Amino acid sequence: MASLNVYSALVVLFLTCGAAIATKENDQIIKENHCETKMGLPCVLEAFTSIFEIGSISNKCCGELVALGKVFHSALVKRTLENPLFKDLTPATIIAKSIQTWNNCLPLIDSPSPSA
């Protein structure tokens, strides 16, 4: 249960924190597009885990992520990296995982579902 609380806190942080220290460009992209409210919390958690931890992201959540757009995805990752709580992470590794997550999601939403 404590693990869930930690992840929940990280998700909230991922969505809302860092505004004071984030670059204006990233904040502006996120704010103008209302990006923080367009992805469901379970999918935010999956995306966060696949980028900042070790985990995978479902087809459903890939669809939500890709629907938001690459600009939003990149801005949110960069804003999260600017937060002091994530200072121990290696930005190059996180950005590489972010690109990998994005690239892995694209074919999943472009291909027809096996049940269709």
Side-chain angles (χ1 to χ4, degrees):
M1 188 64 168
S3 175
L4 181 58
N5 290 337
V6 169
Y7 279 124
S8 297
L10 289 174
V11 168
V12 170
L13 181 67
F14 183 60
L15 289 174
T16 60
C17 291
I21 59 170
T23 63
K24 288 182 182 181
E25 179 182 328
N26 292 332
D27 257 5
Q28 186 173 358
I29 290 166
I30 293 165
K31 193 174 192 175
E32 286 178 357
N33 294 296
H34 307 285
C35 296
E36 295 172 328
T37 60
K38 291 183 178 178
M39 193 171 185
L41 189 59
C43 288
V44 169
L45 180 57
E46 280 188 31
F48 182 90
T49 302
S50 74
I51 297 166
F52 292 91
E53 300 286 333
I54 297 173
S56 61
I57 185 168
S58 67
N59 290 8
K60 176 187 179 293
C61 293
C62 275
E64 287 190 29
L65 179 66
V66 173
L68 291 174
K70 190 168 187 171
V71 172
F72 156 76
H73 172 71
S74 297
L76 200 52
V77 169
K78 288 175 186 174
R79 188 174 82 172
T80 302
L81 282 171
E82 292 167 348
N83 190 297
L85 292 174
F86 297 99
K87 68 182 179 192
D88 294 333
L89 298 177
T90 307
T93 301
I94 298 302
I95 291 169
K97 287 178 75 175
S98 168
I99 292 168
Q100 180 182 17
T101 296
W102 179 263
N103 289 340
N104 289 345
C105 282
L106 286 177
L108 296 177
I109 61 138
D110 288 338
S111 63
S113 147
S115 61

